[in-house]
PDB file of all heavy atoms in Angstrom:
ATOM      1  N   ILE A   1      -1.691  -4.965   1.868  1.00 98.00           N
ATOM      2  CA  ILE A   1      -1.755  -3.542   1.522  1.00 98.00           C
ATOM      3  C   ILE A   1      -3.141  -2.984   1.796  1.00 98.00           C
ATOM      4  O   ILE A   1      -3.285  -1.882   2.347  1.00 98.00           O
ATOM      5  CB  ILE A   1      -1.361  -3.333   0.045  1.00 98.00           C
ATOM      6  CG1 ILE A   1       0.113  -3.667  -0.164  1.00 98.00           C
ATOM      7  CG2 ILE A   1      -1.643  -1.892  -0.388  1.00 98.00           C
ATOM      8  CD1 ILE A   1       0.537  -3.676  -1.626  1.00 98.00           C
ATOM      9  N   ALA A   2      -4.173  -3.727   1.437  1.00 98.00           N
ATOM     10  CA  ALA A   2      -5.539  -3.248   1.666  1.00 98.00           C
ATOM     11  C   ALA A   2      -5.787  -3.026   3.157  1.00 98.00           C
ATOM     12  O   ALA A   2      -6.415  -2.031   3.556  1.00 98.00           O
ATOM     13  CB  ALA A   2      -6.545  -4.250   1.099  1.00 98.00           C
ATOM     14  N   GLU A   3      -5.300  -3.939   4.002  1.00 98.00           N
ATOM     15  CA  GLU A   3      -5.476  -3.765   5.441  1.00 98.00           C
ATOM     16  C   GLU A   3      -4.750  -2.524   5.936  1.00 98.00           C
ATOM     17  O   GLU A   3      -5.295  -1.733   6.723  1.00 98.00           O
ATOM     18  CB  GLU A   3      -4.959  -5.002   6.189  1.00 98.00           C
ATOM     19  CG  GLU A   3      -5.132  -4.886   7.697  1.00 98.00           C
ATOM     20  CD  GLU A   3      -4.490  -6.024   8.470  1.00 98.00           C
ATOM     21  OE1 GLU A   3      -3.724  -6.815   7.886  1.00 98.00           O
ATOM     22  OE2 GLU A   3      -4.755  -6.106   9.690  1.00 98.00           O
ATOM     23  N   ALA A   4      -3.507  -2.322   5.486  1.00 98.00           N
ATOM     24  CA  ALA A   4      -2.731  -1.167   5.927  1.00 98.00           C
ATOM     25  C   ALA A   4      -3.386   0.142   5.487  1.00 98.00           C
ATOM     26  O   ALA A   4      -3.463   1.102   6.264  1.00 98.00           O
ATOM     27  CB  ALA A   4      -1.308  -1.256   5.386  1.00 98.00           C
ATOM     28  N   LEU A   5      -3.873   0.189   4.255  1.00 98.00           N
ATOM     29  CA  LEU A   5      -4.514   1.406   3.750  1.00 98.00           C
ATOM     30  C   LEU A   5      -5.818   1.694   4.487  1.00 98.00           C
ATOM     31  O   LEU A   5      -6.141   2.855   4.769  1.00 98.00           O
ATOM     32  CB  LEU A   5      -4.764   1.285   2.247  1.00 98.00           C
ATOM     33  CG  LEU A   5      -3.525   1.331   1.355  1.00 98.00           C
ATOM     34  CD1 LEU A   5      -3.915   1.082  -0.100  1.00 98.00           C
ATOM     35  CD2 LEU A   5      -2.798   2.663   1.483  1.00 98.00           C
ATOM     36  N   ALA A   6      -6.581   0.643   4.795  1.00 98.00           N
ATOM     37  CA  ALA A   6      -7.830   0.843   5.528  1.00 98.00           C
ATOM     38  C   ALA A   6      -7.545   1.424   6.912  1.00 98.00           C
ATOM     39  O   ALA A   6      -8.239   2.344   7.371  1.00 98.00           O
ATOM     40  CB  ALA A   6      -8.587  -0.481   5.644  1.00 98.00           C
ATOM     41  N   GLN A   7      -6.524   0.915   7.594  1.00 98.00           N
ATOM     42  CA  GLN A   7      -6.187   1.447   8.913  1.00 98.00           C
ATOM     43  C   GLN A   7      -5.705   2.891   8.811  1.00 98.00           C
ATOM     44  O   GLN A   7      -5.995   3.718   9.682  1.00 98.00           O
ATOM     45  CB  GLN A   7      -5.117   0.585   9.572  1.00 98.00           C
ATOM     46  CG  GLN A   7      -4.816   1.018  11.007  1.00 98.00           C
ATOM     47  CD  GLN A   7      -3.841   0.091  11.695  1.00 98.00           C
ATOM     48  OE1 GLN A   7      -2.934  -0.456  11.064  1.00 98.00           O
ATOM     49  NE2 GLN A   7      -4.019  -0.110  12.992  1.00 98.00           N
ATOM     50  N   ALA A   8      -4.982   3.207   7.748  1.00 98.00           N
ATOM     51  CA  ALA A   8      -4.470   4.559   7.567  1.00 98.00           C
ATOM     52  C   ALA A   8      -5.545   5.539   7.119  1.00 98.00           C
ATOM     53  O   ALA A   8      -5.327   6.752   7.133  1.00 98.00           O
ATOM     54  CB  ALA A   8      -3.331   4.550   6.555  1.00 98.00           C
ATOM     55  N   GLY A   9      -6.706   5.025   6.709  1.00 98.00           N
ATOM     56  CA  GLY A   9      -7.762   5.895   6.210  1.00 98.00           C
ATOM     57  C   GLY A   9      -7.439   6.474   4.851  1.00 98.00           C
ATOM     58  O   GLY A   9      -7.788   7.621   4.552  1.00 98.00           O
ATOM     59  N   MET A  10      -6.777   5.680   3.991  1.00 96.00           N
ATOM     60  CA  MET A  10      -6.382   6.130   2.651  1.00 96.00           C
ATOM     61  C   MET A  10      -6.849   5.094   1.629  1.00 96.00           C
ATOM     62  O   MET A  10      -6.064   4.288   1.137  1.00 96.00           O
ATOM     63  CB  MET A  10      -4.866   6.327   2.580  1.00 96.00           C
ATOM     64  CG  MET A  10      -4.331   7.309   3.612  1.00 96.00           C
ATOM     65  SD  MET A  10      -2.527   7.492   3.566  1.00 96.00           S
ATOM     66  CE  MET A  10      -2.338   8.552   2.125  1.00 96.00           C
ATOM     67  N   PRO A  11      -8.140   5.090   1.299  1.00 86.00           N
ATOM     68  CA  PRO A  11      -8.679   4.042   0.442  1.00 86.00           C
ATOM     69  C   PRO A  11      -8.196   4.101  -1.001  1.00 86.00           C
ATOM     70  O   PRO A  11      -8.301   3.113  -1.721  1.00 86.00           O
ATOM     71  CB  PRO A  11     -10.193   4.266   0.529  1.00 86.00           C
ATOM     72  CG  PRO A  11     -10.333   5.721   0.843  1.00 86.00           C
ATOM     73  CD  PRO A  11      -9.171   6.055   1.740  1.00 86.00           C
ATOM     74  N   GLY A  12      -7.699   5.234  -1.445  1.00 82.00           N
ATOM     75  CA  GLY A  12      -7.186   5.330  -2.809  1.00 82.00           C
ATOM     76  C   GLY A  12      -7.934   6.359  -3.632  1.00 82.00           C
ATOM     77  O   GLY A  12      -9.012   6.793  -3.235  1.00 82.00           O
ATOM     78  N   PRO A  13      -7.341   6.757  -4.767  1.00 95.00           N
ATOM     79  CA  PRO A  13      -6.002   6.386  -5.216  1.00 95.00           C
ATOM     80  C   PRO A  13      -4.946   6.818  -4.211  1.00 95.00           C
ATOM     81  O   PRO A  13      -5.088   7.846  -3.560  1.00 95.00           O
ATOM     82  CB  PRO A  13      -5.837   7.131  -6.540  1.00 95.00           C
ATOM     83  CG  PRO A  13      -7.221   7.534  -6.952  1.00 95.00           C
ATOM     84  CD  PRO A  13      -8.008   7.697  -5.698  1.00 95.00           C
ATOM     85  N   PHE A  14      -3.874   6.035  -4.120  1.00 97.00           N
ATOM     86  CA  PHE A  14      -2.848   6.330  -3.120  1.00 97.00           C
ATOM     87  C   PHE A  14      -1.875   7.358  -3.687  1.00 97.00           C
ATOM     88  O   PHE A  14      -1.289   7.138  -4.764  1.00 97.00           O
ATOM     89  CB  PHE A  14      -2.098   5.060  -2.727  1.00 97.00           C
ATOM     90  CG  PHE A  14      -1.114   5.284  -1.614  1.00 97.00           C
ATOM     91  CD1 PHE A  14      -1.551   5.379  -0.301  1.00 97.00           C
ATOM     92  CD2 PHE A  14       0.240   5.421  -1.878  1.00 97.00           C
ATOM     93  CE1 PHE A  14      -0.647   5.608   0.735  1.00 97.00           C
ATOM     94  CE2 PHE A  14       1.145   5.649  -0.859  1.00 97.00           C
ATOM     95  CZ  PHE A  14       0.698   5.742   0.457  1.00 97.00           C
ATOM     96  N   PRO A  15      -1.631   8.457  -2.979  1.00 97.00           N
ATOM     97  CA  PRO A  15      -0.846   9.556  -3.539  1.00 97.00           C
ATOM     98  C   PRO A  15       0.656   9.437  -3.357  1.00 97.00           C
ATOM     99  O   PRO A  15       1.357  10.431  -3.141  1.00 97.00           O
ATOM    100  CB  PRO A  15      -1.389  10.765  -2.759  1.00 97.00           C
ATOM    101  CG  PRO A  15      -1.737  10.213  -1.419  1.00 97.00           C
ATOM    102  CD  PRO A  15      -2.245   8.814  -1.685  1.00 97.00           C
ATOM    103  N   GLY A  16       1.180   8.223  -3.414  1.00 98.00           N
ATOM    104  CA  GLY A  16       2.614   8.013  -3.248  1.00 98.00           C
ATOM    105  C   GLY A  16       3.038   6.733  -3.923  1.00 98.00           C
ATOM    106  O   GLY A  16       2.217   6.000  -4.494  1.00 98.00           O
ATOM    107  N   PRO A  17       4.337   6.408  -3.873  1.00 98.00           N
ATOM    108  CA  PRO A  17       4.844   5.225  -4.581  1.00 98.00           C
ATOM    109  C   PRO A  17       4.644   3.928  -3.803  1.00 98.00           C
ATOM    110  O   PRO A  17       4.377   3.930  -2.603  1.00 98.00           O
ATOM    111  CB  PRO A  17       6.337   5.532  -4.719  1.00 98.00           C
ATOM    112  CG  PRO A  17       6.649   6.359  -3.507  1.00 98.00           C
ATOM    113  CD  PRO A  17       5.414   7.199  -3.257  1.00 98.00           C
ATOM    114  N   LEU A  18       4.815   2.815  -4.523  1.00 98.00           N
ATOM    115  CA  LEU A  18       4.833   1.473  -3.944  1.00 98.00           C
ATOM    116  C   LEU A  18       6.268   0.971  -3.979  1.00 98.00           C
ATOM    117  O   LEU A  18       6.907   0.966  -5.034  1.00 98.00           O
ATOM    118  CB  LEU A  18       3.938   0.529  -4.736  1.00 98.00           C
ATOM    119  CG  LEU A  18       4.033  -0.963  -4.363  1.00 98.00           C
ATOM    120  CD1 LEU A  18       3.404  -1.217  -3.004  1.00 98.00           C
ATOM    121  CD2 LEU A  18       3.366  -1.835  -5.419  1.00 98.00           C
ATOM    122  N   CYS A  19       6.784   0.535  -2.826  1.00 98.00           N
ATOM    123  CA  CYS A  19       8.103  -0.093  -2.720  1.00 98.00           C
ATOM    124  C   CYS A  19       7.883  -1.459  -2.095  1.00 98.00           C
ATOM    125  O   CYS A  19       7.471  -1.547  -0.933  1.00 98.00           O
ATOM    126  CB  CYS A  19       9.041   0.753  -1.865  1.00 98.00           C
ATOM    127  SG  CYS A  19       9.203   2.482  -2.379  1.00 98.00           S
ATOM    128  N   PHE A  20       8.165  -2.520  -2.831  1.00 97.00           N
ATOM    129  CA  PHE A  20       7.733  -3.840  -2.367  1.00 97.00           C
ATOM    130  C   PHE A  20       8.811  -4.874  -2.619  1.00 97.00           C
ATOM    131  O   PHE A  20       9.375  -4.983  -3.715  1.00 97.00           O
ATOM    132  CB  PHE A  20       6.451  -4.238  -3.105  1.00 97.00           C
ATOM    133  CG  PHE A  20       5.450  -4.956  -2.237  1.00 97.00           C
ATOM    134  CD1 PHE A  20       4.837  -4.310  -1.172  1.00 97.00           C
ATOM    135  CD2 PHE A  20       5.128  -6.274  -2.477  1.00 97.00           C
ATOM    136  CE1 PHE A  20       3.915  -4.952  -0.362  1.00 97.00           C
ATOM    137  CE2 PHE A  20       4.195  -6.936  -1.674  1.00 97.00           C
ATOM    138  CZ  PHE A  20       3.595  -6.272  -0.613  1.00 97.00           C
ATOM    139  N   GLY A  21       9.110  -5.657  -1.576  1.00 97.00           N
ATOM    140  CA  GLY A  21      10.053  -6.758  -1.691  1.00 97.00           C
ATOM    141  C   GLY A  21       9.371  -7.994  -2.243  1.00 97.00           C
ATOM    142  O   GLY A  21       8.326  -8.406  -1.743  1.00 97.00           O
ATOM    143  N   LEU A  22       9.975  -8.586  -3.257  1.00 94.00           N
ATOM    144  CA  LEU A  22       9.396  -9.755  -3.921  1.00 94.00           C
ATOM    145  C   LEU A  22      10.490 -10.763  -4.259  1.00 94.00           C
ATOM    146  O   LEU A  22      11.620 -10.375  -4.565  1.00 94.00           O
ATOM    147  CB  LEU A  22       8.676  -9.343  -5.212  1.00 94.00           C
ATOM    148  CG  LEU A  22       7.405  -8.513  -5.038  1.00 94.00           C
ATOM    149  CD1 LEU A  22       7.000  -7.878  -6.361  1.00 94.00           C
ATOM    150  CD2 LEU A  22       6.268  -9.367  -4.496  1.00 94.00           C
ATOM    151  N   PRO A  23      10.169 -12.053  -4.232  1.00 92.00           N
ATOM    152  CA  PRO A  23      11.160 -13.067  -4.592  1.00 92.00           C
ATOM    153  C   PRO A  23      11.262 -13.210  -6.111  1.00 92.00           C
ATOM    154  O   PRO A  23      10.313 -12.879  -6.836  1.00 92.00           O
ATOM    155  CB  PRO A  23      10.586 -14.338  -3.970  1.00 92.00           C
ATOM    156  CG  PRO A  23       9.100 -14.128  -4.043  1.00 92.00           C
ATOM    157  CD  PRO A  23       8.885 -12.652  -3.818  1.00 92.00           C
ATOM    158  N   PRO A  24      12.385 -13.712  -6.614  1.00 84.00           N
ATOM    159  CA  PRO A  24      12.540 -13.892  -8.068  1.00 84.00           C
ATOM    160  C   PRO A  24      11.874 -15.177  -8.541  1.00 84.00           C
ATOM    161  O   PRO A  24      12.507 -16.067  -9.120  1.00 84.00           O
ATOM    162  CB  PRO A  24      14.062 -13.942  -8.230  1.00 84.00           C
ATOM    163  CG  PRO A  24      14.535 -14.557  -6.949  1.00 84.00           C
ATOM    164  CD  PRO A  24      13.623 -14.038  -5.873  1.00 84.00           C
TER     165      PRO A  24
END
């Protein structure tokens, strides 16, 4: 996520939701 945000030029706070796939 940090890499993606740095490339997007959006260091934070991020003005949208987080949708993330995770294992149980």
